[in-house]
Amino acid sequence: MEYLEFELPIKELEEQLEKCQLIGEESDVDVTETCKQIEKKLEQTRKDIYKNLTAWQRVQLSRHPNRPYTLDYIKAICGDTFLELHGDRNVKDDKAMIGGLGKIGDQSYMFIGQQKGYNTKTRQYRNFGMANPEGYRKALRLMKSAEKFGIPVVCFIDTPGAYPGIEAEERGQGEAIARNILEMTRLKVPIICVIIGEGASGGALGIGVGDKVLMLENTWYSVISPESCSSILWRSWEYKEQAAEALKLTASDMKKLKLIDEIVREPAGGAHAQREKTFEIVKNKISKNYEQLKKLSPKDLVTARMDKYAQMGVYNG
């Protein structure tokens, strides 16, 4: 397990607990009481640290190397029922955007999401979770297939942004994202979006229009990353913490501004510390929200979605 700077007190206590248990195993000394005290202190320290996180610390957690990615969620939620579908039928198969059919219980879903890599090789293969235009076109193709067969769509958002390279612009990055936003507003099946990591810029919006938008507690959703904002306003990355606060990008900020529907609480220590528990929580949230949405007719679904997004940003001075 890797630890962030503010998680170091947790690391120290975990190491102490490990040593204590080792002493108990290797000698006849009864260390039960000492271990219990360390466990108690560890639990309290974890609570104190995660209760008072700053916006920048939440950004760091969203990028934690041990944090689960889209395929981790899909495999845990669907098991062997997941069938990945490839290609946009136009250019190629974008490895940064994955999608396919899977089941939760007896209900089929079309899962779509950005996928990051775990090491240097897979990060390059997945283009660091930054999709090209063909990735968004693949996502739209899968959504249209889901609509044709009456299958609800689940989108997992985790991207530092859409790929900003010349070739992406040449193939129409802006048009691909805009097209997705347009088509998603009028898709006749339920759409549930879950922000599981970074939700940056148009790259996130390209699969982010939904009837229900859920956000895990230690994630962020914004038009720009704190580092980029800092470099534009202050000509330096040093002010990224101030930028993170000013951008109002945390789940609680988003909920307050009515830009998302629900905050999904993470287990103690964050999603990376208790992955299995996080998968179970997200799985239950998807099923619960679908149960509500399936009661609506396609016409009511689209009307409610359109109304929801039309009300965003309305200011009564």
Side-chain angles (χ1 to χ4, degrees):
M1 171 74 92
E2 291 185 48
Y3 294 85
L4 299 169
E5 200 180 328
F6 64 87
E7 290 181 306
L8 290 178
I10 295 169
K11 184 189 179 184
E12 283 171 25
L13 285 165
E14 282 180 349
E15 284 171 356
Q16 281 178 29
L17 183 62
E18 212 173 294
K19 280 176 193 168
C20 186
Q21 287 165 342
L22 206 63
I23 291 165
E25 284 168 21
E26 290 176 352
S27 65
D28 295 329
V29 182
D30 184 13
V31 291
T32 318
E33 198 54 45
T34 313
C35 285
K36 273 184 184 172
Q37 283 176 350
I38 297 170
E39 276 174 7
K40 200 175 175 184
K41 196 178 178 187
L42 177 62
E43 200 178 317
Q44 192 55 48
T45 305
R46 204 176 263 140
K47 269 183 191 170
D48 292 342
I49 287 172
Y50 285 95
K51 193 170 65 182
N52 302 305
L53 291 174
T54 65
W56 173 244
Q57 285 170 337
R58 291 199 192 277
V59 171
Q60 287 177 292
L61 277 174
S62 75
R63 300 167 176 165
H64 199 289
N66 300 114
R67 196 173 176 87
Y69 298 141
T70 296
L71 276 173
D72 298 320
Y73 281 94
I74 291 173
K75 283 170 184 172
I77 288 168
C78 305
D80 297 333
T81 65
F82 181 62
L83 171 70
E84 190 175 349
L85 301 169
H86 299 273
D88 71 334
R89 302 291 184 270
N90 191 9
V91 178
K92 62 175 182 178
D93 182 40
D94 191 332
K95 306 299 181 196
M97 184 77 76
I98 58 117
L101 292 161
K103 282 187 170 187
I104 299 178
D106 293 328
Q107 177 61 49
S108 293
Y109 293 87
M110 181 66 82
F111 290 94
I112 296 164
Q114 289 108 350
Q115 176 66 24
K116 292 178 177 176
Y118 301 93
N119 52 35
T120 307
K121 197 176 176 182
T122 56
R123 281 176 194 135
Q124 285 177 322
Y125 179 72
R126 298 288 180 187
N127 199 28
F128 299 87
M130 297 187 290
N132 276 284
E134 50 271 23
Y136 292 99
R137 290 177 182 131
K138 169 165 81 169
L140 181 58
R141 181 177 76 80
L142 299 185
M143 287 180 213
K144 285 291 186 183
S145 295
E147 182 182 49
K148 185 179 177 181
F149 297 107
I151 297 166
V153 174
V154 175
C155 295
F156 288 117
I157 297 167
D158 186 13
T159 180
Y163 184 58
I166 292 171
E167 59 271 40
E169 294 301 328
E170 284 172 348
R171 293 196 297 275
Q173 185 72 285
E175 187 278 335
I177 291 170
R179 170 71 54 194
N180 276 26
I181 293 169
L182 171 68
E183 295 292 349
M184 285 181 91
T185 54
R186 56 192 189 192
L187 207 71
K188 293 182 174 67
V189 288
I191 308 171
I192 300 164
C193 300
V194 189
I195 298 157
I196 58 169
E198 299 183 89
S201 194
L205 281 180
I207 57 166
V209 178
D211 302 292
K212 295 286 180 186
V213 180
L214 318 179
M215 204 169 160
L216 265 71
E217 201 176 354
N218 298 315
T219 62
W220 62 278
Y221 198 19
S222 175
V223 71
I224 194 169
S225 72
E227 294 96 327
S228 300
C229 175
S230 172
S231 67
I232 291 168
L233 294 182
W234 289 282
R235 299 278 185 269
S236 162
W237 277 30
E238 281 178 34
Y239 300 92
K240 53 188 182 287
E241 292 178 37
Q242 277 174 254
E245 289 294 337
L247 283 166
K248 303 289 179 202
L249 43 65
T250 65
S252 52
D253 291 324
M254 288 286 123
K255 185 78 174 74
K256 214 177 280 177
L257 294 166
K258 296 180 180 172
L259 297 173
I260 61 161
D261 300 286
E262 191 181 341
I263 299 170
V264 179
R265 297 285 166 207
E266 292 181 23
H272 61 282
Q274 299 191 51
R275 291 163 73 105
E276 297 305 321
K277 203 171 176 185
T278 307
F279 297 147
E280 195 58 36
I281 291 167
V282 170
K283 178 182 174 180
N284 293 336
K285 288 287 181 189
I286 291 168
S287 298
K288 186 185 162 194
N289 279 285
Y290 175 62
E291 287 304 313
Q292 294 171 10
L293 294 170
K294 73 175 186 183
K295 294 170 189 168
L296 299 172
S297 68
K299 190 182 174 185
D300 291 342
L301 202 64
V302 173
T303 304
R305 195 185 303 143
M306 291 267 202
D307 290 346
K308 174 186 159 183
Y309 281 90
Q311 282 164 18
M312 286 182 188
V314 172
Y315 176 70
N316 298 314

